[in-house]
Amino acid sequence: MKVPLLDLHAQYKSIKSEVKSAIDEVLESQYFIMGDTVKRFEAEIADNCNATHAFGCASGSDALLLALMAIDIKPGEYVITTPFTFFATAGAISRLGAIPVFADIDPTTFNIDPNEIEAILNGEHPVANRLAVDVSKIRAIIPVHLYGQMAEMTPIMELAKMYDLYVIEDAAQAIGSKYKGKIAGEFGDFGCFSFFPSKNLGAYGDGGLITIKDAALAEKVDILRTHGARPKYHNIYVGMNSRLDAMQAAILSVKLPYLDEWSQKRREAAQRYNALFEEHGITSLISECSSSCVDQGNEGCALPENKLVLPSEIEGAPENDGKHIYHQYTVRVKNRDEIIEALKNEGIGSAVYYPVPMHMQKCYSDMGFKSEDFPKSVCAANQALSLPIYPEITPEQQEYVVSKLTKILSNYA
Ligand SMILES: Cc1ncc(COP(=O)(O)O)c(C=O)c1O
């Protein structure tokens, strides 16, 4: 049996005729950039995400950049975010000459820990203090809803209010995810979404979208995405060319009505994995990550070599009207790279999101970080292993993954 990490063919097959006629319509119109098709999709997403304003753009990376440009982030200012994310989050901050201030993660959810944010803002975070972060120049927080589960937005929003900071939700992996009854993008000043093909709502190329609360900021984003010009050829700001193609918008409009059903299927698949792993008796609770754990590399963690840690949903979800949409189903294991090879030999795809935390990226090597500054992120980068998940995955495929992984782990007994 073969179980790929993601199978986009299965989804395409189920919507092929609708997609083809949507593409055909765009071809017949010969209108490819912005226009009514894009406007219609923006309205649909705004409705879906309870947003007042929504603007398509070229990618999730550009959505983050546009949000930071809209609030006029300047060189030398600071933005708090997580070190355990895709580079686009930190990269958007740095590209504007601003400085990312990292707050370590909650190891159970892999998402930014609000206590860490609070310590930075109170001037009590040892790393921020060592690097002489000027708290008065912190302008925003970018929580990332990693793997499809929202960060702890209640305390994050409280801190943002207390310190008068903007909140830009990086919801690239979390469209349709919920926390305490609100949907991803609904808490912050901005919600940034990606339609990269492998995302839960994936285009057939690059694409992104930004949702915005404030009307004036919304207008600014709209202007910024077309070179900062309004009217055309009269540039108010130095903007960029970041637009969603009509073709991608048409495809996404076909897919959007299926999103809830697809997310539900992903949730069911995650629950099936959890139950199967429990049945096989190979699960372990999360171990405490510490600086010493990082000093000793992967060997320092208390996680037994023949067990794995299941992904966990934040307290109360879904009972508390929260919803993880399992963009990824990510477990923790030791000997991760060997396990990936062994899975590959059994025809099973897997991936590491992400192997290098932001503070250890070469491009940030002059910022003065040490590996052990964010031990929980380093530990996650050593142990995280994403297993195949997509709406069409079959119970047989999942049983195959679990039985093979159980066998591989038993070699470490
Ligand atoms: C957390 C996160 N932020 C931002 C992005 C950037 O999105 P895009 O690839 O559409 O630029 C991604 C996409 O991979 C992501 O996973």
Side-chain angles (χ1 to χ4, degrees), residues 58-64 84-89 144-147 170-173 192-199 205-208 327 354:
S59 65
S61 304
D62 275 7
L64 291 162
F84 194 59
T85 181
F86 179 59
F87 183 72
T89 322
V144 179
H145 306 320
L146 204 68
Y147 304 149
D170 183 339
Q173 302 187 7
C192 298
F193 298 88
S194 164
F195 304 125
F196 185 80
S198 64
K199 295 290 193 282
D206 270 313
H327 173 57
Y354 294 94

Side-chain angles (χ1 to χ4, degrees), residues 116-136:
E116 285 265 318
I117 301 177
E118 188 172 16
I120 292 168
L121 294 169
N122 283 342
E124 287 167 0
H125 196 286
V127 180
N129 289 350
R130 191 185 80 231
L131 301 178
V133 169
D134 181 348
V135 175
S136 71

Side-chain angles (χ1 to χ4, degrees), residues 135-369:
V135 175
S136 71
K137 289 189 182 163
I138 297 176
R139 296 275 317 281
I141 306 172
I142 309 186
V144 179
H145 306 320
L146 204 68
Y147 304 149
Q149 169 156 247
M150 287 181 66
E152 291 274 13
M153 291 310 292
T154 302
I156 291 173
M157 293 309 296
E158 279 167 11
L159 287 166
K161 196 166 175 211
M162 202 181 306
Y163 288 89
D164 195 20
L165 306 175
Y166 286 102
V167 174
I168 300 166
E169 291 179 60
D170 183 339
Q173 302 187 7
I175 191 161
S177 179
K178 277 188 176 171
Y179 170 88
K180 298 195 176 165
K182 280 195 187 178
I183 201 158
E186 199 177 347
F187 282 89
D189 300 285
F190 301 88
C192 298
F193 298 88
S194 164
F195 304 125
F196 185 80
S198 64
K199 295 290 193 282
N200 287 25
L201 183 67
Y204 294 163
D206 270 313
L209 182 132
I210 178 167
T211 56
I212 306 135
K213 280 223 168 73
D214 179 80
L217 287 175
E219 192 185 8
K220 191 167 174 190
V221 165
D222 191 18
I223 298 171
L224 282 168
R225 69 178 170 160
T226 46
H227 287 293
R230 169 95 32 114
K232 217 172 176 182
Y233 310 124
H234 296 260
N235 295 72
I236 311 171
Y237 311 112
V238 179
M240 54 208 269
N241 172 14
S242 186
R243 303 172 295 211
L244 184 67
D245 289 354
M247 197 84 90
Q248 299 304 341
I251 293 162
L252 291 164
S253 277
V254 168
K255 286 186 163 198
L256 187 59
Y258 297 101
L259 184 62
D260 276 353
E261 181 191 324
W262 289 337
S263 298
Q264 184 53 28
K265 286 192 171 154
R266 284 173 179 268
R267 288 183 57 74
E268 284 162 16
Q271 280 153 12
R272 190 174 304 114
Y273 267 139
N274 289 348
L276 288 168
F277 282 126
E278 296 281 8
E279 257 170 48
H280 282 71
I282 58 160
T283 61
S284 169
L285 292 176
I286 183 102
S287 55
E288 200 42 52
C289 301
S290 66
S291 298
S292 65
C293 147
V294 172
D295 287 344
Q296 296 161 48
N298 205 7
E299 297 309 307
C301 295
L303 169 59
E305 288 192 308
N306 58 349
K307 299 262 169 63
L308 54 81
V309 179
L310 298 178
S312 57
E313 295 195 16
I314 44 181
E315 214 179 326
E319 297 77 11
N320 200 10
D321 206 7
K323 194 167 82 173
H324 189 326
I325 46 111
Y326 289 97
H327 173 57
Q328 299 297 338
Y329 179 88
T330 303
V331 299
R332 285 173 179 261
V333 285
K334 277 187 137 184
N335 308 298
R336 197 244 338 261
D337 297 347
E338 280 174 32
I339 290 169
I340 289 174
E341 269 312 297
L343 285 169
K344 197 167 150 196
N345 292 336
E346 300 289 358
I348 299 169
S350 62
V352 177
Y353 304 114
Y354 294 94
V356 183
M358 292 305 109
H359 69 294
M360 297 316 294
Q361 294 292 346
K362 192 171 175 196
C363 61
Y364 290 144
S365 59
D366 59 355
M367 287 180 70
F369 293 117

